[in-house]
Amino acid sequence: MRFSHFVLRRWLYSVLVLFGLSILIFIIARMLPGNPARLALGPFALQEQVEHLQHLMGMDKPLPLQYWTYITGIFRGDFGLSFQTRRNVALDIAHYLPATVELVLIAIVWVLVFGVPLGVLAARYKDSWVDNLVRVMAFIGVAVPPFVVGLFLQLTFSYLLGILPTTGRLSLMTPAPPLRTGLLLLDSLIEGDFSALGDALKHIILPSFAIAMTGIGQIARLTRASMSDIANQDYIEASRGFGIPNRVIAFKYMLKPASIAPLTILGLTFASELSNAFLVETVFAWPGLAKYGIRAILRKDFNAVMGVVLIIGLAFVIVNLIVDILAGYVDPRVRIKQEEGE
Amino acid sequence: MSTRASHHQVTMGLNETRWMIIKDRLGRGWYKFRRNPISLVGGVMVLLCVLLAILAPYVTPYPKHAGAFTDFQNAFQAPSKSHWLGTDALGSDVFTRIIFGSRISLMLAAVVLGISVPVGVFLGLISGYMGGKTETVIMRVTDVFLSLPALVMALAICAAFTPSIDKAMLAVASIWWTWHCRLVNGITRSIKTEEFVQASKVLGASPLRIIFKDILPNCASPVIVKITLDAGFVILVGAGLSFLGLGAQPPAEDLGTMISFGAKYLPERWWMTVFPSLAIFFIILGFNLLGDGLRDVLAVEEGV
Amino acid sequence: MEERAILDIRDLHVWFHVYEGVSRVLDGVSLYVRGGEHVGLVGETGCGKTVAMKTAMGILRSPPALFPQGQVLLAGRDVLKAAPIELLRMKGKTISMIFQDPLTALNPVFTVGQQIIDVIRFGHRWIRDDGALTKTKVRGIAMEALTSVQLPDPRRILSLYPLELSGGMRQRVLIAMALVNRPRLLIADEPGSALDVTIQAQILSLLKSLVKEAGIAVLLITHDLGVVRETVERVYIMYAGRVVEEGPTVEIFDDPKHPYTQGLLSSVPRLTGEALAEGIPGTLSDYTEAPSGCRFHPRCPQAMEKCAQQKPPMVKVSTKQHVACYLYHGGGG
């Protein structure tokens, strides 16, 4: 089958998995011991008020019906009401999502800018002090919990050195640019508001780097392993034999096949970044989806929890899809094998 | 394999040869392990942590400070001779709390892996060997659990319960089996078609026998490496959960909880955050280094 | 030692650090190839011929390889001591190579065109006669090269990936890449041995005609005696990291002197006559604990005491034949 068919099939399957996920979380959320309606209204609410809310939320209906109502609601854009904000969870998500998206995107930039070159460097000077240094750094990057990284960065740059702000996306004094995408960096750029842009940048550096640490470590190690594995391949030897200079071999003939492995774990890197976001947003009081999600979990706001889970699941699916397409583009073997039939 | 082994094979008989091969393998493994300073360091670190955790009541200066204990007079003391790493908001000795806290973290890893690995390996073997509908069902379920990053999934599961350490352990364990299931499934599928498995089949061995004698040993190395690496990661996720308030609860705090409480007092009372952070970093790093070293030694490919 | 030799390997020793100790793979190898000559290097798998060849090409990486002794002269320059830029200059122009397995020798993520164009661009940097190289010119040279190896529709092939070609076509592409910069010496490592026998025959005859046309010297490395007989004028027989016999192909085949060569030739099954192929008892030794003296002595049916003690030097046994064996020292014994 053709490559595009392959991608389509994968996508459909992922949607199926998402459904499975929604069922799983739904069951778990409804399994709550204790009464979410009561939790929302507080211990002083009257019993009949609690029951009224329960009825309103449809909690007295049988479970499968509840699920059905919920799912059909999703397709209409109705994610149910959040206990906390009393409005459609979809609106909440739309409000908080861009902050997290911005954070994760910048983090990916860090990962590519630091991870790949470090890996290449380590492979080039294999077994030398450069290699060992990079390996140690990568180990540290993977081993430190992201909230620890965040705290340490805060400690160093905000408290000790005082050059970067501690929390939030913008300083209190700086007015936000008009809302277009929700991505502050983009919005301020569009508006031409460079002071806001600078301020937003200063705020985003530390948290995004904290998120990126694990990814940098992973990508650096994988790039190094991939590069040194490729370096031993016959075709690289052949290129040397044909007189192609080392620089060309390194940056063209080794980098391209070597980039396949890191590309495939880009999906995993994204996953780790999302996880890390949950921890880092708390440290930096970043008003993003993660913070919203955690509040929802602690307060048993299950509509919100479902909404966040589904969005993250969807984001994951999209990213994996992009990675698949990119992999097919870089490595013709994938494309060709698909086209020849599985 | 060197010609020495084959020469001996002829003259000494099969069982002795097997022993020689194992000795040779271990010898090579130890040689590589020795030469690899990274894995050695990791091994030492892990050993240190485990010993300290086991001997906690005997090695800490104030064992009573672990658990419910308050001494507000002595609260917020900077590191000093009597309290090497200072005291926290309730007056407990930070050093003692760290050792006991790491005990909880290590226990978390042990419990989670103790549950999830056997389950995962078992399901992986079954699904890989039997294929067909069984495999499809098991793998689909795996996919659902893996559709979210581990921490996020654990968080979602924790949402259903009151925050506590055992619920956190349960949540993480209920996700973790999937990794091992996938790993073992992959290995089983690829080995299933190999000749020695076919040979066993032809000889009339029962499926159980085949699974345990032929397939399982081949899974041993990757699973062992993965367990070691997992330990670090499980501790990381556990600490994350605790940090967010969903894992270990006071007074039985683990390192994540300690860091979360200490963070409120930054930057003036830095010791309450910095030292637990270093401790958890040490533990996780140790496991990672060890796992990496083992991977080299047991010759497993990257990506496990 | 020969003047006019394009490749002159003199007493080359190559060692490797391994788990068991030091592996002394090459223990004093000497051979040469003159301009326009076709020379064969024969030996069983593991005898070190690939190591020798890679050293000659300058593509052996220095750790883990060690070169404690010997020289490798390429057009007069010692490859082992040359600066990298000099080495680069020689590759493609002076010396070129065809690898054994065409699938692994081509980079799978680049098209044939991209790869061969780079070979031309970087090879032609050192060739003065062609003036400025434009894109069209380079493409033209590439297509010409592909046509010379009898590949139909070169334009289409340039845009294909290695995986999309058959084994025979890949080997032809490799030959084109090896010859496009008109090297003076071509080293062919078991060409076509990864392919079907019929395709291998086609490839070999193609190779023969191409090198004859251009007057290229060839060092053919193989374990296949049949190929040797058909294609080369002179042969080196290698065993366990040493050259044990050398001479014109016809003389070696008619009257092999070294016991190993004799064993080798009698191992080839014959279609005529009644005798079964004999083979040589024993196996190749481990290079970290190689036998002392003559490395063949444990398997040699005519071994003497002397053979275990000291390495036999090469001696002349006729006008053009040399052997490294004590049987031929001062009338044999």
Side-chain angles (χ1 to χ4, degrees):
Chain A
M1 65 173 69
R2 298 210 40 235
F3 185 59
S4 49
H5 286 184
F6 165 72
V7 168
L8 200 68
R9 236 178 59 150
R10 286 264 287 184
W11 193 75
L12 284 173
Y13 177 68
S14 309
V15 170
L16 217 70
V17 169
L18 272 182
F19 269 112
L21 178 67
S22 65
I23 296 179
L24 179 71
I25 302 296
F26 197 82
I27 296 178
I28 291 177
R30 291 310 199 257
M31 252 171 43
L32 291 177
N35 196 327
R38 169 157 292 284
L39 265 173
L41 290 176
F44 297 111
L46 299 170
Q47 183 60 21
E48 45 207 46
Q49 284 175 313
V50 172
E51 281 174 14
H52 180 71
L53 187 58
Q54 276 183 310
H55 180 75
L56 216 68
M57 311 232 85
M59 282 169 57
D60 44 354
K61 302 209 187 75
L63 210 60
L65 189 59
Q66 286 188 45
Y67 180 72
W68 179 251
T69 330
Y70 184 74
I71 288 291
T72 44
I74 296 274
F75 284 108
R76 278 182 287 118
D78 176 14
F79 277 63
L81 293 174
S82 155
F83 281 144
Q84 306 165 60
T85 59
R86 306 297 155 97
R87 61 176 179 173
N88 191 343
V89 165
L91 289 174
D92 281 347
I93 293 181
H95 185 243
Y96 288 107
L97 185 61
T100 307
V101 166
E102 203 176 22
L103 205 55
V104 170
L105 282 179
I106 300 289
I108 291 187
V109 170
W110 286 125
V111 167
L112 292 175
V113 160
F114 279 102
V116 173
L118 280 178
V120 171
L121 219 66
R124 168 83 183 80
Y125 295 104
K126 194 174 177 189
D127 294 329
S128 72
W129 63 272
V130 175
D131 181 20
N132 285 326
L133 186 66
V134 170
R135 287 178 76 184
V136 165
M137 279 166 55
F139 264 119
I140 292 179
V142 173
V144 192
F147 53 91
V148 167
V149 176
L151 287 172
F152 268 92
L153 285 175
Q154 243 183 5
L155 206 61
T156 323
F157 289 96
S158 302
Y159 291 122
L160 275 175
L161 297 177
I163 50 178
L164 288 172
T166 355
T167 56
R169 297 177 79 190
L170 281 179
S171 315
L172 288 170
M173 320 290 201
T174 317
L179 185 69
R180 293 221 179 86
T181 58
L183 301 177
L184 280 182
L185 294 178
L186 210 56
D187 285 346
S188 42
L189 199 65
I190 295 176
E191 192 66 15
D193 185 351
F194 290 109
S195 69
L197 180 66
D199 194 49
L201 271 174
K202 277 206 286 187
H203 278 85
I204 207 174
I205 288 184
L206 292 181
S208 57
F209 196 75
I211 290 183
M213 272 291 263
T214 334
I216 292 178
Q218 285 174 329
I219 293 283
R221 284 172 76 184
L222 200 57
T223 308
R224 175 200 179 275
S226 192
M227 283 288 270
S228 56
D229 179 54
I230 301 285
N232 288 330
Q233 292 289 328
D234 278 348
Y235 50 82
I236 296 298
E237 237 177 24
S239 318
R240 284 218 184 86
F242 288 130
I244 302 195
N246 268 334
R247 185 160 301 175
V248 176
I249 293 187
F251 287 106
K252 187 172 173 186
Y253 287 104
M254 288 214 291
L255 198 58
K256 200 171 177 203
S259 62
I260 296 170
L263 201 66
T264 47
I265 74 156
L266 214 60
L268 286 176
T269 314
F270 177 73
S272 77
E273 286 190 0
L274 271 180
S275 302
N276 297 350
F278 274 78
L279 302 167
V280 169
E281 282 192 10
T282 314
V283 170
F284 287 91
W286 192 264
L289 199 65
K291 195 145 171 274
Y292 175 68
I294 293 174
R295 259 212 317 249
I297 290 174
L298 287 172
R299 303 203 190 156
K300 310 266 183 273
D301 184 353
F302 51 70
N303 276 329
V305 170
M306 274 295 273
V308 170
V309 161
L310 285 179
I311 289 295
I312 293 184
L314 186 66
F316 215 21
V317 162
I318 293 178
V319 166
N320 278 328
L321 220 65
I322 296 179
V323 167
D324 276 341
I325 295 178
L326 276 179
Y329 178 68
V330 168
D331 184 0
R333 289 175 286 190
V334 173
R335 242 190 293 144
I336 293 171
K337 284 207 185 112
Q338 294 310 324
E339 282 172 10
E340 284 173 6
E342 293 144 288
Chain B
M1 188 66 77
S2 69
T3 37
R4 254 175 287 165
S6 49
H7 179 69
H8 279 269
Q9 219 165 347
V10 172
T11 51
M12 283 165 72
L14 212 57
N15 276 330
E16 284 161 307
T17 317
R18 206 175 263 161
W19 175 234
M20 281 206 64
I21 292 178
I22 294 178
K23 264 202 341 193
D24 187 59
R25 258 268 193 97
L26 283 176
R28 259 178 231 267
W30 180 239
Y31 172 75
K32 270 184 157 174
F33 196 77
R34 247 186 322 132
R35 275 181 110 201
N36 190 346
I38 289 181
S39 45
L40 271 184
V41 169
V44 167
M45 283 165 87
V46 170
L47 212 62
L48 189 68
C49 294
V50 171
L51 279 176
L52 278 178
I54 294 180
L55 301 173
Y58 308 107
V59 265
T60 50
Y62 301 92
K64 291 223 194 72
H65 287 203
F69 174 84
T70 54
D71 178 9
F72 292 107
Q73 295 251 331
N74 271 323
F76 299 120
Q77 296 227 355
S80 61
K81 257 202 160 165
S82 56
H83 295 279
W84 298 341
L85 301 181
T87 58
D88 66 4
L90 296 177
S92 313
D93 178 45
V94 171
F95 179 64
T96 310
R97 286 232 110 146
I98 287 182
I99 304 279
F100 276 90
S102 57
R103 218 190 201 186
I104 296 182
S105 297
L106 286 171
M107 205 178 52
L108 176 88
V111 168
V112 166
L113 289 174
I115 300 177
S116 54
V117 172
V119 169
V121 169
F122 177 69
L123 287 176
L125 285 173
I126 301 263
S127 67
Y129 188 72
M130 295 183 55
K133 283 241 181 73
T134 329
E135 182 178 24
T136 319
V137 167
I138 295 184
M139 284 293 119
R140 296 301 184 244
V141 172
T142 320
D143 282 341
V144 169
F145 274 95
L146 289 175
S147 59
L148 289 178
L151 181 67
V152 179
M153 197 67 178
L155 280 174
I157 297 180
C158 281
F161 308 103
T162 351
S164 83
I165 181 82
D166 25 307
K167 300 301 188 307
M169 282 194 222
L170 204 74
V172 179
S174 63
I175 304 166
W176 221 263
W177 64 270
T178 53
W179 298 107
H180 287 265
C181 180
R182 256 208 183 160
L183 177 66
V184 170
N185 174 283
I187 297 179
T188 311
R189 285 180 67 172
S190 61
I191 295 189
K192 201 166 58 163
T193 52
E194 294 261 338
E195 286 182 359
F196 66 93
V197 174
Q198 307 287 38
S200 293
K201 264 195 182 151
V202 166
L203 289 173
S206 70
L208 226 72
R209 210 178 127 86
I210 295 181
I211 291 181
F212 281 103
K213 256 200 80 186
D214 293 324
I215 301 185
L216 195 56
N218 279 288
C219 301
S221 295
V223 168
I224 290 177
V225 169
K226 184 139 178 56
I227 291 179
T228 323
L229 290 173
D230 275 354
F233 199 32
V234 168
I235 295 179
L236 196 78
V237 171
L241 286 174
S242 303
F243 181 75
L244 294 172
L246 289 161
Q249 302 292 317
E253 295 175 2
D254 83 342
L255 296 170
T257 334
M258 286 173 75
I259 297 176
S260 150
F261 284 178
K264 289 198 279 265
Y265 302 101
L266 279 178
E268 299 83 22
R269 299 182 174 124
W270 53 273
W271 58 91
M272 289 162 58
T273 324
V274 169
F275 292 124
S277 303
L278 288 176
I280 204 171
F281 168 55
F282 189 80
I283 297 177
I284 299 177
L285 187 65
F287 276 105
N288 280 3
L289 291 178
L290 183 65
D292 214 59
L294 277 180
R295 180 162 52 199
D296 271 345
V297 163
L298 296 175
V300 177
E301 317 89 55
E302 296 260 343
V304 163
Chain C
M1 307 210 189
E2 275 285 321
E3 300 74 36
R4 290 194 305 131
I6 301 182
L7 175 66
D8 191 354
I9 301 183
R10 299 181 185 182
D11 193 33
L12 179 65
H13 289 65
V14 179
W15 295 353
F16 290 89
H17 272 307
V18 286
Y19 167 60
E20 293 89 350
V22 176
S23 184
R24 292 159 213 258
V25 178
L26 293 187
D27 193 40
V29 169
S30 299
L31 60 92
Y32 65 89
V33 181
R34 287 179 295 222
E37 254 199 314
H38 296 184
V39 176
L41 182 58
V42 176
E44 52 190 290
T45 317
C47 73
K49 43 194 208 297
T50 314
V51 174
M53 169 202 71
K54 286 189 180 175
T55 317
M57 287 295 300
I59 57 182
L60 212 56
R61 294 184 117 190
S62 193
L66 298 166
F67 307 107
Q69 204 177 326
Q71 297 176 300
V72 176
L73 299 175
L74 205 56
R77 284 229 183 68
D78 188 354
V79 161
L80 299 174
K81 299 201 173 53
I85 193 88
E86 281 188 75
L87 265 182
L88 214 59
R89 196 172 285 157
M90 290 195 274
K91 291 183 204 174
K93 185 177 111 186
T94 314
I95 186 170
S96 188
M97 188 168 93
I98 297 179
F99 280 76
Q100 183 174 347
D101 185 352
L103 181 54
T104 58
L106 286 171
N107 197 317
V109 300
F110 289 96
T111 60
V112 166
Q114 286 169 317
Q115 296 186 56
I116 194 170
I117 285 177
D118 270 341
V119 171
I120 298 173
R121 277 177 55 211
F122 290 105
H124 271 62
R125 270 205 302 180
W126 313 113
I127 300 176
R128 301 299 161 122
D129 45 322
D130 275 57
L133 277 182
T134 58
K135 253 176 127 168
T136 21
K137 205 169 184 189
V138 171
R139 258 188 96 84
I141 299 178
M143 292 212 280
E144 214 187 291
L146 289 181
T147 324
S148 71
V149 290
Q150 297 164 4
L151 281 171
D153 198 359
R155 175 156 299 159
R156 192 183 75 102
I157 300 221
L158 283 180
S159 67
L160 292 178
Y161 287 92
L163 207 72
E164 298 175 291
L165 300 171
S166 73
M169 291 165 84
R170 278 182 226 134
Q171 189 65 290
R172 289 170 198 265
V173 166
L174 267 179
I175 295 176
M177 283 167 82
L179 297 179
V180 73
N181 286 327
R182 301 179 226 144
R184 287 169 63 194
L185 168 66
L186 177 70
I187 302 186
D189 186 9
E190 321 244 15
S193 66
L195 309 165
D196 294 335
V197 183
T198 39
I199 312 222
Q200 181 183 17
Q202 286 176 10
I203 298 288
L204 284 173
S205 76
L206 171 68
L207 208 51
K208 244 172 126 169
S209 62
L210 283 175
V211 298
K212 223 182 196 142
E213 245 181 80
I216 302 175
V218 176
L219 177 61
L220 180 70
I221 302 185
T222 182
H223 60 266
D224 187 339
L225 294 166
V227 169
V228 166
R229 204 169 182 158
E230 304 276 309
T231 39
V232 300
E233 308 139 10
R234 206 158 46 87
V235 172
Y236 286 91
I237 312 279
M238 228 176 122
Y239 179 77
R242 292 188 189 157
V243 174
V244 296
E245 189 161 359
E246 178 254 325
T249 318
V250 179
E251 285 181 35
I252 298 267
F253 272 74
D254 281 344
D255 185 17
K257 299 280 195 288
H258 195 284
Y260 175 66
T261 323
Q262 292 166 352
L264 212 57
L265 286 167
S266 66
S267 304
V268 179
R270 281 187 182 29
L271 291 175
T272 56
E274 308 100 22
L276 284 171
E278 279 178 32
I280 309 175
T283 51
L284 249 186
S285 54
D286 177 356
Y287 286 112
T288 53
E289 284 182 20
S292 56
C294 171
R295 283 185 171 182
F296 186 60
H297 83 253
R299 298 166 74 182
C300 182
Q302 302 174 54
M304 304 177 286
E305 241 188 73
K306 211 174 179 187
C307 302
Q309 291 161 357
Q310 247 193 337
K311 184 170 127 181
M314 287 283 265
V315 287
K316 209 166 174 160
V317 281
S318 68
T319 33
K320 298 209 186 122
Q321 223 175 333
H322 296 81
V323 190
C325 184
Y326 286 121
L327 288 171
Y328 304 93
H329 271 223

